[in-house]
Amino acid sequence: MAKVMREALAKNRSVAPMSTPIRRVIEIDPNQPDERLLQEAGALLRGGKIVAFPTETVYGLGADALNSAAVSAVYRAKGRPATNPVIVHVDTLEMARELTASWPQTADRLATACWPGPLTLVLPRASKVPDVVTAGGPTVAVRMPANLVALGLIRAAGVPVAAPSANRSGGLSPTLARHVLASLLGPIDLLIDAGPTQLGLESTVIDLTTAPPRILRPGQITSSDIERHIGPVQYASLGGHEPLRSPGLLPRHYAPRSPAECLPLSDMVRRADELVGAGLRVGCLYCGAVPPGMANCFTSVVLPAVAAGYAEGLYAALHHLDELQVDRILIVSPPQGEEWHAVQDRLRRAVAL
Ligand code: TXA
Ligand code: MG
C-alpha cells in the first residue's frame, strides 16, 4: 500500500471519536486471537446481542442468524431496508449445508476451492432460516470468511452469524474499527478491533440457483476463477424488466458522503483547476502517482497501481477524504482488466447520483 495511505491508516489505528452508541470495544490480535475474548464475544452473539467483527474483506455487523429479533437489531443499526437480505457466515461446511434446502455440485466445487475466502454462495434456503435474513425470498447467501477472528467468533458462538457490512446502509464499508464507529446509526453491543482488513472490498456474490449461475457482485474472486471450477457464468445486469436480484446491484451504493467524480487522467488537471478556482475543497485519489501540473488540491491520496493494493486501500482512502469534509472527490479512473472489475464496480456506484 502507498506510504501516504499507510501513514494515514497508522494515525487512524486507535479507536477515536464515537458517534455510534457502543457498549464495549475490545482489541484482538488478528494473528493469534485470544480464546477467552472470542468466547466472551461468542456468548454475546448466542445471547441475541450484536457484535461488529473483522473479516478478510470488510468489518461485518453480526447477529445469530437463527434469531430474528437479533437480526432485526442489525437492520436497525444500519438503517437497512428490510428488502435487502444479509449474508450468513459459517465456520464449517456442515453449518453452511444446514442453512440450505439443496447443495448442488456447483456449491461443493466452489466451497472446496474457495472457502474459507471472499466468495458468497446464494442457494435455496432451508426452512429454519428466518425471513428477516433472506428478506422473505427463497434463497440464502452463505460464506466462510478467511479470517481467524471471524472464524473463531463463529465457532465460539456455535451459531451461524448473519452479518452485513458494518456501515450505514448505502455508505462505504468499514475496513477499520473506527469506520464502524463513525458510520452506524444504532447501538451495538461489542466492537472487535483487529486492525485493518486485508482485502478491503466485499466478497464476490454468486447466485447458484440460476442456469447459468450469475455473479451478483464482483469481488476479488473473478468470473474466470469461478469458471475454472463450474463452467460458464454470467454477470447480473442492471435494468431490463427483471426484479432486482440483489440490492447490492443498486446504482448508488458504497458511496462516500462527499460527491465524487471518476475521470480519465487526461481530464484531471483541467477539472481540478476548475473546481479549485471555484473555491471548492477538492480531494484527489490517484492511481500509482500524482500527474504533473496538478492544481493545488486540498488533499490527495495515492493508491497503488496494482489491483489488490488499490482495493485494499480504496475504502480507507474514501473514508479519509470524507473525514476531511472535502467538497468534491476527484478519482482518476483505474486501469481496465478483469482484476480491476470489483474496483471499477464500486467506483461506478460511489459516483452514481
Ligand atoms: O465481504 C462481504 O461480503 C461482507 C463481509 C462482512 O462478509 N459482507 C457484506 O454484506 O458485504 P452486505 O450485506 O453489505 O452485502 C451483501 C450483499 C448485498 O448486495 C445483498 O443484497 C446480497 O449480498 N445478498 C444477500 N443475501 C442475498 C440473497 N439471498 N440473494 C441475493 N443477494 C443476496
Ligand atoms: Mg454492505
Side-chain angles (χ1 to χ4, degrees):
M1 191 183 305
K3 182 163 172 285
V4 51
M5 270 313 299
R6 255 200 306 270
E7 281 166 3
L9 292 178
K11 258 192 258 143
N12 291 345
R13 175 65 179 76
S14 65
V15 170
M18 294 191 191
S19 58
T20 300
I22 187 159
R23 308 230 152 76
R24 196 171 156 214
V25 181
I26 53 175
E27 288 193 19
I28 291 193
D29 180 340
N31 302 312
Q32 281 185 306
D34 181 324
E35 184 59 29
R36 193 181 47 81
L37 293 175
L38 290 176
Q39 289 296 336
E40 277 180 38
L44 285 177
L45 283 174
R46 218 170 30 250
K49 306 290 188 197
I50 62 177
V51 174
F53 64 97
T55 76
E56 80 280 37
T57 57
V58 300
Y59 275 76
L61 184 58
D64 173 358
L66 304 179
N67 179 337
S68 301
V71 179
S72 297
V74 166
Y75 275 75
R76 278 198 302 281
K78 279 182 65 82
R80 184 177 180 106
T83 48
N84 192 354
V86 293
I87 296 172
V88 183
H89 298 69
V90 299
D91 71 324
T92 62
L93 215 51
E94 295 88 277
M95 193 185 256
R97 293 182 75 136
E98 280 171 17
L99 296 165
T100 63
S102 66
W103 187 260
Q105 204 180 36
T106 47
D108 230 26
R109 290 200 180 136
L110 288 175
T112 305
C114 303
W115 282 1
L119 182 68
T120 296
L121 308 179
V122 173
L123 291 159
R125 79 193 260 203
S127 54
K128 72 172 180 184
V129 180
D131 274 345
V132 61
V133 168
T134 67
T139 59
V140 62
V142 286
R143 111 170 172 93
M144 190 190 292
N147 177 289
L148 290 179
V149 176
L151 289 173
L153 177 67
I154 303 164
R155 176 180 40 75
V159 291
V161 176
S165 53
N167 55 282
R168 192 177 301 218
S169 181
L172 296 171
S173 293
T175 58
L176 284 170
R178 66 190 302 277
H179 300 155
V180 177
L181 295 173
S183 81
L184 287 172
L185 292 172
I188 65 176
D189 298 292
L190 176 69
L191 166 61
I192 300 176
D193 179 356
T197 59
Q198 301 94 317
L199 300 184
L201 288 187
E202 307 82 354
S203 62
T204 306
V205 180
I206 182 157
D207 185 349
L208 295 178
T209 68
T210 59
R214 292 200 308 172
I215 295 183
L216 302 178
R217 180 175 69 184
Q220 197 206 42
I221 295 183
T222 63
S223 57
S224 313
D225 296 332
I226 292 173
E227 286 180 340
R228 264 198 294 284
H229 302 292
I230 62 167
V233 299
Q234 277 181 356
Y235 276 102
S237 57
L238 277 174
H241 300 290
E242 279 185 275
L244 206 55
R245 296 279 310 199
S246 182
L249 297 172
L250 287 170
R252 185 171 170 82
H253 210 86
Y254 312 110
R257 277 190 280 265
S258 317
E261 298 173 25
C262 194
L263 61 178
L265 186 60
S266 54
D267 292 350
M268 274 297 271
V269 172
R270 180 194 53 76
R271 186 64 181 142
D273 273 344
E274 218 168 78
L275 295 172
V276 171
L280 264 59
R281 285 160 35 119
V282 177
C284 294
L285 182 50
Y286 300 106
C287 182
V290 181
M294 272 309 292
N296 198 7
C297 288
F298 179 70
T299 186
S300 38
V301 178
V302 182
L303 288 174
V306 176
Y310 191 101
E312 181 189 346
L314 176 61
Y315 285 148
L318 293 174
H319 277 290
H320 177 67
L321 295 172
D322 258 352
E323 281 159 12
L324 295 175
Q325 298 186 318
V326 296
D327 301 311
R328 194 68 54 91
I329 298 175
L330 293 186
I331 305 168
V332 177
S333 311
Q336 299 291 326
E338 195 181 31
E339 75 278 23
W340 288 92
H341 205 119
V343 163
Q344 297 280 5
D345 170 78
R346 303 308 189 277
L347 287 179
R348 243 190 330 273
R349 294 176 210 286
V351 304
L353 295 175

